[in-house]
Amino acid sequence: MTDTAAETWLDSLTSALSSKKAKAHLGGGEKSLANQRAKGKLTARERIDYLVDDPAATIEIGTLAADGMYIEEGGCPSAGVVVKIGSIEGKKAIIVANDASVKAGAWFPMTAKKNLRAQEIALENELPIIYLVDSAGVFLPLQHEVFADKEHFGRIFRNNAVLSAKGIVQIAAIMGSCVAGGAYLPIMSDEALIVDGTGSVFLAGSYLVKAAIGEDIDNETLGGSVTQTEISGVTDNRYPNDQAALDAIRHYFRFLPAQKSPYMPQRTPCATQASVADLHSFFPADRTKPYDMHSLIATLVDAESWIEYKPLYGKTIVCGYAQIEGQPVGIVANQRKMVKSRKGEMQMGGVIYSDSADKAARFIMNCNQRSVPLLFIHDVTGFMVGSRSEQGGIIKDGAKMVSAVSNSVVPKITLIVGNSYGAGNYAMCGKAYDPRFIFAWPSANIAVMGAAAASGTLAQIQKAKLKGQEGNAQDEQALLKEITERYTATTKPEYAAARLWIDDIITPAETRHYLATALEVAGVAPIRERFNVGIIQT
C-alpha cells in the first residue's frame, strides 16, 4: 500500500467518525434543540460550554453511547446525556448534563450506565461532579431494564451518598424537570440550585398526584422554584435563567482548593519528536501488517523524554518511561513488527510471548513502586500458543502479567489503536481491569479473536448443523460472508462505544490531548493502597 493510500484510509476513518459525532451532537435534532431555546433554555452542550473555562480544552466521555440502539423507540443519541471533563475556575471537574432534546431527557438503560460511568470517574479520581438536571425520569417502556438491578438507576443515588461521604464535591442545577426517583440526585448533592420558570423537582407530578390522592395542583405550585426554595427548603437558591445558575456554580468553584498532584512530579512540556501526520507513512490499513510501535509512541510523547526498559529482552512488548505534555507516564505497548528473541528465533509481532509477559509484569511493578501512572497501548492478537510456548510456561508468565495489572494501584489508562483480542485484551488492561480511562482509535478491533478465524469457526459449526441438507459451494460462501459481516460489526469500536466498553473513540490527532487530560485528572487523587502482586511470584 502506498503512503497516499494509507493517508486516504486514515482520513476516511477520521472523517466518518467526525460525521457520526456531529450527528450525535444534534441530540434529538435541530427542531428539538430549537424548542429548548424557545423555552429560554440553553441546550445541554451550550450549558457545559458556558460553564467551563475553555470549551475547546474539554474531553467528552461516551459521545457514541447507545449508537445504533433503541431503534424501535426512535433512538437515544449519546444516551440522552452529555458528559465532559473540563476546567472550572482552573479546577478539573466532570459535568453531566441531561439532554432534554432527546425524549425530554428520559432515562434509558444506557443513560443510567453512562451516569454511573461519570460517577465512577469522579470516585476514582476524587473529581468534583456537576449535574445539570433536565429529565422527565425513567423511560417507562424500558423500566424493566433500568430499575431494579445493582447497576441500574438506584445505584446513582447510592453513589451520591458515597461521593458525599468521601468529601467529593457534588453540585446540581435543576434546569428543567426533575421527577420521581430522579429528584434524589440533586437533593443528595452538596449544593442544589434551581432555575425560575423552567426548573421543577417533585416525587410525583400533578397528574400522578391527582390520580393518587385526588388533589388538583399545577407543577409550578407543586415543585417549582418558589416552592422548593422559600417553602420546603429543598433547594438552596433560585436563579432567573440558565446563565445565572451556571455563574453561581463557577463562583462556588472559586472557593475550592487548588488541585495539585500529590505524587506525580510534572516537567516542562514540550512538543513530540514525530508528528501525527507521520502515521500515514507507517501505520497500515491492513491490521495484520507489521509496523514499529516505537514510531507510534514518538507521535504521543514529549521529545527526548523516552527511556526504554529492557529494550533487548521480551521484544514483542515495548516498555518505557516518558512524558506526555510534561506528565510522567510508564508505557506498555505491543510491538507489531517481527523481532528476534534472545535465542535468535523470530517472533511474530502483536503476540505476547513468555519473555514479553515477564518483562511487562516487572515494569508494571516498577511503576507502582515509583508512583508512575501507566498507559497501555493495544495492538495485540493474544498470547503465543503451541507446544514450545506451553512447555516454556506461557500460562504462568501470562498469569504473572495479569496479576500485576490487576493489583496495580497507580492510575491506568488504556488506548486501543489496533487489534485487542482475547487474553491479550485482559493482560493489556482491558475494560475488565479498571483502567481510569479507556479510549480507542477508529482503527481498533475488540474481540475474542480476529474476524477471519472466528468466522471460519462459526461457519463450520453452522455447516455441521445443516449436515445432510442440500447445498453447494456458492451457498457456503454466502454463509461465510454473512457470518463474517455479522461478526466484524461486533468487533468495531463503534459497537464498543455504544455500550460504553470504551469511553470514547478519538482520532490520532486528539489522542495526546485526551491522554494528557486523563493523566492530569488521575493525578488529583493520591494513592491510598499499597501495591501487592498477590500469589503470583516473580
Side-chain angles (χ1 to χ4, degrees):
M1 175 173 288
T2 65
D3 290 356
T4 303
E7 184 169 357
T8 301
W9 170 73
L10 278 175
D11 290 344
S12 176
L13 286 179
T14 301
S15 177
L17 176 62
S18 297
S19 296
K20 188 176 279 287
K21 285 191 173 183
K23 187 176 180 181
H25 289 174
L26 292 176
E30 293 282 12
K31 184 178 179 181
S32 187
L33 292 173
N35 288 339
Q36 295 295 306
R37 298 185 184 107
K39 296 174 183 176
K41 297 180 176 183
L42 298 174
T43 67
R45 292 179 181 279
E46 289 169 348
R47 287 167 176 166
I48 294 175
D49 286 351
Y50 185 93
L51 179 60
V52 298
D53 297 340
D54 180 5
T58 61
I59 67 171
E60 186 162 354
I61 302 297
T63 313
L64 299 180
D67 180 58
M69 301 172 70
Y70 312 122
I71 302 302
E72 292 182 4
E73 291 79 15
C76 188
S78 289
V81 61
V82 182
V83 176
K84 289 193 177 188
I85 296 173
S87 293
I88 303 172
E89 296 292 326
K91 291 119 185 175
K92 283 287 188 287
I94 186 161
I95 305 140
V96 182
N98 296 115
D99 188 349
S101 76
V102 179
K103 300 289 191 298
W107 287 65
F108 283 67
M110 285 304 301
T111 313
K113 186 171 183 178
K114 188 169 175 179
N115 275 265
L116 288 168
R117 176 63 183 136
Q119 289 182 320
E120 181 181 42
I121 290 170
L123 279 165
E124 286 182 331
N125 301 287
E126 299 187 9
L127 202 63
I129 183 166
I130 313 300
Y131 308 103
L132 305 181
V133 185
D134 195 345
S135 171
V138 169
F139 185 69
L140 288 177
L142 296 176
Q143 66 83 26
H144 59 290
E145 296 182 33
V146 76
F147 173 64
D149 208 348
K150 181 179 178 180
E151 300 300 331
H152 282 176
F153 190 60
R155 186 79 171 182
I156 289 160
F157 317 127
R158 175 265 188 193
N159 286 350
N160 282 137
V162 172
L163 284 157
S164 180
K166 291 181 179 292
I168 299 170
V169 171
Q170 299 176 88
I171 303 175
I174 301 166
M175 313 180 94
S177 297
C178 187
V179 184
Y184 288 105
L185 185 148
I187 309 311
M188 293 183 74
S189 299
D190 303 308
E191 304 280 332
L193 322 178
I194 190 168
V195 177
D196 281 330
T198 56
S200 59
V201 55
F202 34 64
L203 291 181
S206 56
Y207 292 128
L208 184 54
V209 167
K210 175 66 174 176
I213 64 173
E215 180 183 2
D216 283 307
I217 190 169
D218 63 86
N219 282 339
E220 185 63 27
T221 306
L222 182 65
S225 63
V226 173
T227 296
Q228 300 293 25
T229 53
E230 297 185 20
I231 301 173
S232 70
V234 164
T235 56
D236 302 323
N237 207 346
R238 69 177 195 264
Y239 298 88
N241 53 43
D242 285 4
Q243 291 89 337
L246 296 168
D247 286 338
I249 295 173
R250 288 189 60 86
H251 186 79
Y252 183 92
F253 262 70
R254 293 173 195 163
F255 294 89
L256 295 183
Q259 295 166 332
K260 186 177 180 181
S261 171
Y263 59 90
M264 287 187 288
Q266 192 148 357
R267 304 287 184 262
T268 303
C270 62
T272 59
Q273 182 174 336
S275 167
V276 170
D278 296 337
L279 285 169
H280 299 309
S281 65
F282 68 82
F283 191 64
D286 185 344
R287 302 308 316 122
T288 66
K289 293 293 178 66
Y291 64 92
D292 189 353
M293 179 56 74
H294 293 91
S295 298
L296 191 150
I297 292 171
T299 70
L300 300 176
V301 305
D302 296 2
E304 299 182 6
S305 69
W306 174 252
I307 302 174
E308 190 160 356
Y309 174 78
K310 291 183 182 289
L312 303 179
Y313 177 76
K315 295 179 184 178
T316 64
I317 286 184
V318 175
C319 298
Y321 303 99
Q323 294 163 214
I324 297 178
E325 293 190 3
Q327 297 174 97
V329 64
I331 295 175
V332 180
N334 304 113
Q335 176 59 283
R336 279 307 308 264
K337 71 176 185 178
M338 294 282 287
V339 296
K340 186 179 290 188
S341 75
R342 66 188 187 280
K343 296 179 180 179
E345 302 159 340
M346 294 306 295
Q347 296 180 334
M348 291 187 293
V351 177
I352 302 175
Y353 289 77
S354 285
D355 53 357
S356 299
D358 174 68
K359 177 173 83 170
R362 292 175 182 274
F363 180 72
I364 291 165
M365 293 175 198
N366 285 355
C367 287
N368 276 269
Q369 184 184 45
R370 300 170 189 178
S371 296
V372 177
L374 285 157
L375 169 63
F376 295 84
I377 304 177
H378 289 219
D379 200 342
V380 58
T381 54
F383 284 88
M384 190 59 191
V385 297
S387 60
R388 182 176 294 181
S389 292
E390 297 295 352
Q391 292 166 13
I394 185 66
I395 296 176
K396 173 177 62 68
D397 290 316
K400 188 189 305 179
M401 182 177 175
V402 169
S403 182
V405 172
S406 302
N407 289 293
S408 180
V409 296
V410 296
K412 297 174 290 189
I413 298 165
T414 297
L415 173 66
I416 304 171
V417 300
N419 301 324
S420 184
Y421 293 157
N425 172 278
Y426 300 158
M428 291 293 293
C429 195
K431 179 71 171 177
Y433 291 80
D434 298 324
R436 295 282 185 95
F437 297 93
I438 178 167
F439 305 113
W441 282 3
S443 50
N445 289 291
I446 306 165
V448 171
M449 63 179 74
S455 299
T457 302
L458 291 169
Q460 290 298 323
I461 293 170
Q462 188 65 24
K463 282 194 293 182
K465 289 180 180 179
L466 300 174
K467 191 174 182 180
Q469 298 182 23
E470 291 187 6
N472 53 42
Q474 189 173 358
D475 292 336
E476 290 183 6
Q477 285 301 313
L479 175 64
L480 179 60
K481 183 174 183 291
E482 178 193 345
I483 290 173
T484 301
E485 289 175 352
R486 188 167 65 243
Y487 184 89
T488 299
T490 65
T491 72
K492 295 298 183 185
E494 292 84 358
Y495 191 89
R499 289 152 184 82
L500 286 175
W501 299 345
I502 57 176
D503 288 321
D504 219 1
I505 309 173
I506 58 176
T507 65
E510 295 173 307
T511 303
R512 188 167 145 87
H513 170 61
Y514 267 70
L515 294 178
T517 302
L519 287 166
E520 184 179 354
V521 167
V524 172
I527 297 174
R528 303 189 188 280
E529 302 174 75
R530 179 178 176 273
F531 177 71
N532 190 331
V533 78
I535 64 169
I536 303 298
Q537 300 299 313
T538 60

